Amino acid sequence: METIKVDARGLSCPQPIVETKKVIDKLSGGRVEILVDTVTSRENVLRFGRNAGWKGSFEESEDSFKVILEK
Amino acid sequence: MNRLLMSKNGPALAGTIIGIIAALLVKFGNPGNMGVCVACFTRDVAGALGLHRAGVVQYLRPELAGFILGSFVSALLYREYRPRGGSSPMIRFGLGFFAMLGALVFLGCPWRAYLRLAGGDYNAFAGIAGLATGIAIGVIFLYRGFSLGAARQNPKASGYFMPLLAIALLALLIIKPIFGAEGTGPVFFSVKGPGSMHAPILISLGAGLLVGWLAQRSRFCTVGAIRDLIMLKDTHLFKGIVCFIVAAFLANVALGQFHAGFEKQPVAHTMQLWNFLGMVLSGLAFTLAGGCPGRMFIMSGEGDSDAGVFIMGMLVGAAFAHNFSLASSGAGVGAYGIPATITGLVFCLAVGTLFMNRVD
């Protein structure tokens, strides 16, 4: 299954959500990885994904978070 | 407590506590319906530093230093201190400048718009309607790909500037240096008017620290609340402002501070068109910048230099607002408040249009 990647690092609220929404609105399922760099953006994207019916998790690296949405 | 604040009900919990704190700050001496007003407080700081000479609005409000320091400590404790910046800083300065002008035409930031309502000031309806309209215009730009560009990670020390500035302001408040040519200044303190009305320093500072911590943990945002409701049908921040208003209202009633009506409200005027348009300008500017003024102080404590630049724009905007007769008073809008509001709207609409650069 193809993974779609979104780089939302450094974007102000609520642009990480807007970028994520643009991608998942076109999909019925699959895996989307969104890179963000603040805990606030991580929580916002996770909450948005879960509210949209996706399963959400995240991985932390040194300077960013990878939010993973799957359905 | 931290888990509660981080939960989906976090903003509601934070809003409830902050609403009560705001009412109590009025009881302890802050001006009416101004327990917390980020714009008014920034304006008072500008006056205290002599950037404007409106004698009735000069005080180094320790609540603001508390917001920054409370957020800074909270961000450090929970490993959320992440210095960042570089997303169109001059534009953010301009947005802060005009957000302040709009707020001073209405006479309050979004926080105070809600607090004015909670105190029975019906003029706040026009302001809140304007705020929601400004936010809705901002949402249209966001949907069309508006972005000021990505911020980058900055060296760790870059985020220390705002907390150190907060400490410097507290030091000036305590030392009260006076060595100006006229026997006053360089730091000014109002002897009458709203600037002379304030809670004791330690209470104000303690309240500011607590609000800074609560807002940092919960992401309480008085502009994001309406933005997310319109854009995403997401109510979790909106519940925060509902609880904020209800808690402040109940506390005001309990403390005998609720006075319903349009006339003779504290630090307010009844020119509804300009109450409305002032807040359209503010709401739009805050939405394009990514959050309400309180949130900007919180983010600056987390190390966000762009939020710090926005605050500097607010500070300079406040100075211009009084020096150029743009700010309103209880009597109505300032001599040049109307053209300033229109100029600000043109600026924000131009920024919104010119930065729609992420459309696929």
Side-chain angles (χ1 to χ4, degrees), chain B residues 34-276:
Chain B
M34 206 190 283
V36 179
C37 174
V38 184
C40 315
F41 288 2
T42 304
R43 181 266 318 273
D44 292 349
V45 170
L49 296 175
L51 303 179
H52 69 69
R53 295 297 180 88
V56 292
V57 282
Q58 297 175 320
Y59 181 56
L60 285 169
R61 299 270 174 198
E63 289 91 341
L64 292 182
F67 289 179
I68 297 171
L69 294 171
S71 163
F72 176 61
V73 172
S74 172
L76 282 178
L77 281 176
Y78 294 99
R79 292 178 52 239
E80 292 185 12
Y81 173 74
R82 281 169 187 256
R84 53 196 184 269
S87 163
S88 304
M90 278 319 297
I91 297 298
R92 289 179 187 273
F93 183 94
L95 290 172
F97 182 98
F98 283 112
M100 179 58 101
L101 292 194
L104 291 179
V105 167
F106 165 66
L107 290 173
C109 71
W111 292 50
R112 184 165 191 255
Y114 303 134
L115 289 175
R116 282 173 59 173
L117 185 64
D121 178 352
Y122 293 156
N123 301 297
F125 282 118
I128 293 171
L131 176 67
T133 305
I135 294 170
I137 297 168
V139 166
I140 294 170
F141 286 121
L142 285 165
Y143 266 138
R144 291 175 178 231
F146 171 81
S147 177
L148 289 175
R152 291 207 182 88
Q153 287 222 341
N154 287 172
K156 200 152 203 170
S158 78
Y160 297 154
F161 183 86
M162 291 301 283
L164 287 172
L165 180 67
I167 291 169
L169 291 177
L170 286 175
L172 288 175
L173 174 64
I174 293 161
I175 299 166
K176 294 188 168 56
I178 293 177
F179 50 81
E182 299 151 19
T184 58
V187 178
F188 299 84
F189 294 96
S190 297
V191 291
K192 58 178 182 168
S196 68
M197 301 165 72
H198 54 81
I201 291 176
L202 282 179
I203 290 178
S204 293
L205 177 61
L209 288 167
L210 183 56
V211 172
W213 177 68
L214 288 167
Q216 200 282 327
R217 297 318 296 149
S218 68
R219 331 301 187 199
F220 180 78
C221 179
T222 60
V223 164
I226 295 177
R227 178 199 67 210
D228 288 358
L229 184 72
I230 296 173
M231 247 184 126
L232 309 163
K233 312 281 179 278
D234 181 341
T235 57
H236 104 289
L237 285 175
F238 190 73
K239 285 179 198 157
I241 57 166
V242 171
C243 290
F244 178 59
I245 295 169
V246 171
F249 164 70
L250 293 175
N252 279 332
V253 170
L255 295 167
Q257 296 172 173
F258 182 82
H259 306 289
F262 285 98
E263 304 290 336
K264 293 187 178 153
Q265 291 291 344
V267 199
H269 63 77
T270 55
M271 296 172 72
Q272 305 308 346
L273 176 64
W274 298 100
N275 280 332
F276 177 82

Side-chain angles (χ1 to χ4, degrees), chain B residues 297-336:
Chain B
F297 274 80
I298 302 305
M299 292 196 296
S300 77
E302 294 172 352
D304 187 331
S305 295
D306 292 326
V309 169
F310 184 93
I311 292 168
M312 293 303 154
M314 286 176 62
L315 190 73
V316 173
F320 271 77
H322 285 281
N323 291 341
F324 284 72
S325 299
L326 315 177
S328 298
S329 68
V333 295
Y336 302 103

